[in-house]
Short mmCIF file of all heavy atoms in Angstrom, two decimals:
data_model
loop_
_atom_site.label_atom_id
_atom_site.label_comp_id
_atom_site.label_asym_id
_atom_site.label_seq_id
_atom_site.Cartn_x
_atom_site.Cartn_y
_atom_site.Cartn_z
N PRO A 10 -0.33 -2.56 -8.99
CA PRO A 10 -0.32 -2.81 -7.54
C PRO A 10 0.94 -2.24 -6.88
O PRO A 10 1.70 -2.96 -6.23
CB PRO A 10 -0.38 -4.34 -7.43
CG PRO A 10 -0.30 -4.88 -8.81
CD PRO A 10 -0.05 -3.78 -9.77
N SER A 63 12.92 0.03 0.44
CA SER A 63 11.68 -0.47 -0.17
C SER A 63 11.11 -1.61 0.68
O SER A 63 11.64 -1.95 1.74
CB SER A 63 11.94 -0.93 -1.60
OG SER A 63 12.48 -2.23 -1.63
N GLY A 64 10.04 -2.22 0.19
CA GLY A 64 9.40 -3.32 0.91
C GLY A 64 10.35 -4.49 1.12
O GLY A 64 10.27 -5.19 2.14
N THR A 65 11.25 -4.68 0.17
CA THR A 65 12.20 -5.80 0.31
C THR A 65 13.12 -5.56 1.49
O THR A 65 13.50 -6.50 2.20
CB THR A 65 12.98 -5.97 -1.01
OG1 THR A 65 12.02 -6.12 -2.06
CG2 THR A 65 13.88 -7.19 -0.97
N LEU A 66 13.47 -4.30 1.74
CA LEU A 66 14.24 -4.00 2.96
C LEU A 66 13.42 -4.34 4.19
O LEU A 66 13.96 -4.90 5.16
CB LEU A 66 14.67 -2.52 3.02
CG LEU A 66 15.39 -2.19 4.34
CD1 LEU A 66 16.79 -2.79 4.39
CD2 LEU A 66 15.43 -0.70 4.62
N MET A 68 11.28 -6.70 4.51
CA MET A 68 11.39 -8.16 4.65
C MET A 68 12.76 -8.53 5.23
O MET A 68 12.88 -9.38 6.12
CB MET A 68 11.20 -8.83 3.28
CG MET A 68 9.84 -8.58 2.65
SD MET A 68 9.79 -8.98 0.88
CE MET A 68 9.52 -10.76 0.94
N PHE A 90 6.32 -13.36 -3.90
CA PHE A 90 6.89 -12.70 -2.72
C PHE A 90 7.09 -13.67 -1.56
O PHE A 90 7.99 -13.48 -0.74
CB PHE A 90 6.08 -11.47 -2.33
CG PHE A 90 6.26 -10.36 -3.33
CD1 PHE A 90 5.26 -10.05 -4.25
CD2 PHE A 90 7.45 -9.66 -3.40
CE1 PHE A 90 5.45 -9.06 -5.20
CE2 PHE A 90 7.66 -8.66 -4.35
CZ PHE A 90 6.65 -8.36 -5.25
N ARG A 93 10.41 -15.05 -2.34
CA ARG A 93 11.46 -14.09 -2.03
C ARG A 93 11.76 -14.12 -0.52
O ARG A 93 12.92 -14.04 -0.11
CB ARG A 93 11.03 -12.67 -2.45
CG ARG A 93 12.04 -11.62 -1.99
CD ARG A 93 11.72 -10.25 -2.54
NE ARG A 93 11.89 -10.19 -3.99
CZ ARG A 93 11.80 -9.09 -4.71
NH1 ARG A 93 11.55 -7.93 -4.12
NH2 ARG A 93 11.96 -9.12 -6.00
N THR A 136 2.51 -14.30 3.58
CA THR A 136 2.29 -13.10 2.78
C THR A 136 0.79 -12.83 2.79
O THR A 136 0.03 -13.68 2.31
CB THR A 136 2.75 -13.31 1.32
OG1 THR A 136 4.02 -13.96 1.34
CG2 THR A 136 2.83 -12.00 0.57
N VAL A 138 -1.20 -10.58 1.16
CA VAL A 138 -1.63 -10.60 -0.24
C VAL A 138 -0.39 -10.80 -1.09
O VAL A 138 0.50 -9.94 -1.08
CB VAL A 138 -2.30 -9.27 -0.64
CG1 VAL A 138 -2.57 -9.25 -2.15
CG2 VAL A 138 -3.60 -9.07 0.13
N ASP A 139 -0.31 -11.93 -1.79
CA ASP A 139 0.82 -12.07 -2.70
C ASP A 139 0.46 -11.36 -3.99
O ASP A 139 -0.47 -11.75 -4.70
CB ASP A 139 1.23 -13.53 -2.95
CG ASP A 139 2.67 -13.58 -3.42
OD1 ASP A 139 2.96 -13.00 -4.50
OD2 ASP A 139 3.53 -14.14 -2.72
N THR A 140 1.20 -10.32 -4.28
CA THR A 140 0.90 -9.42 -5.37
C THR A 140 1.08 -10.09 -6.74
O THR A 140 0.65 -9.57 -7.75
CB THR A 140 1.81 -8.17 -5.23
OG1 THR A 140 1.84 -7.85 -3.84
CG2 THR A 140 1.28 -6.98 -5.98
N ASP A 165 4.07 -10.44 5.81
CA ASP A 165 4.37 -9.49 4.73
C ASP A 165 3.03 -8.87 4.33
O ASP A 165 2.21 -9.50 3.66
CB ASP A 165 5.03 -10.24 3.56
CG ASP A 165 5.21 -9.33 2.33
OD1 ASP A 165 4.66 -8.20 2.32
OD2 ASP A 165 5.89 -9.77 1.38
N VAL A 167 2.78 -6.00 2.59
CA VAL A 167 3.10 -4.90 1.67
C VAL A 167 1.91 -4.55 0.78
O VAL A 167 1.66 -3.39 0.51
CB VAL A 167 4.36 -5.22 0.82
CG1 VAL A 167 4.64 -4.07 -0.14
CG2 VAL A 167 5.57 -5.45 1.70
N CYS A 168 1.15 -5.57 0.37
CA CYS A 168 0.02 -5.27 -0.52
C CYS A 168 -1.31 -5.29 0.23
O CYS A 168 -2.37 -5.39 -0.38
CB CYS A 168 0.01 -6.24 -1.70
SG CYS A 168 -1.01 -5.70 -3.07
N ALA A 188 5.54 -1.38 2.71
CA ALA A 188 6.31 -0.34 2.03
C ALA A 188 5.38 0.83 1.78
O ALA A 188 4.16 0.67 1.73
CB ALA A 188 6.85 -0.88 0.71
N GLN A 190 4.72 2.66 -0.85
CA GLN A 190 4.08 2.97 -2.15
C GLN A 190 2.82 2.18 -2.45
O GLN A 190 2.26 2.31 -3.51
CB GLN A 190 5.09 2.75 -3.27
CG GLN A 190 5.39 1.30 -3.65
CD GLN A 190 6.48 0.65 -2.80
OE1 GLN A 190 6.82 1.14 -1.74
NE2 GLN A 190 7.02 -0.46 -3.27
N LYS A 191 2.40 1.32 -1.51
CA LYS A 191 1.18 0.55 -1.80
C LYS A 191 0.01 1.20 -1.06
O LYS A 191 -0.13 2.41 -1.16
CB LYS A 191 1.46 -0.92 -1.51
CG LYS A 191 2.69 -1.35 -2.35
CD LYS A 191 2.73 -2.74 -2.86
CE LYS A 191 4.04 -2.96 -3.62
NZ LYS A 191 4.35 -4.36 -3.84
C1 LIG B 1 5.65 -4.96 -3.54
C2 LIG B 1 5.81 -6.10 -2.60
C3 LIG B 1 7.03 -6.41 -1.99
C4 LIG B 1 8.31 -5.74 -2.34
O1 LIG B 1 8.29 -4.38 -2.13
P1 LIG B 1 9.40 -3.47 -2.88
O2 LIG B 1 9.05 -2.10 -2.36
O3 LIG B 1 9.16 -3.62 -4.33
O4 LIG B 1 10.73 -3.94 -2.47
C5 LIG B 1 7.04 -7.42 -1.06
N1 LIG B 1 5.95 -8.12 -0.76
C6 LIG B 1 4.76 -7.85 -1.34
C7 LIG B 1 3.57 -8.65 -0.94
C8 LIG B 1 4.65 -6.84 -2.28
O5 LIG B 1 3.48 -6.59 -2.84
#
Side-chain angles (χ1 to χ4, degrees):
S63 82
T65 305
L66 176 73
M68 298 164 82
F90 289 105
R93 174 173 293 187
T136 315
V138 172
D139 202 299
T140 319
D165 173 350
V167 179
C168 196
Q190 75 274 17
K191 304 214 181 164

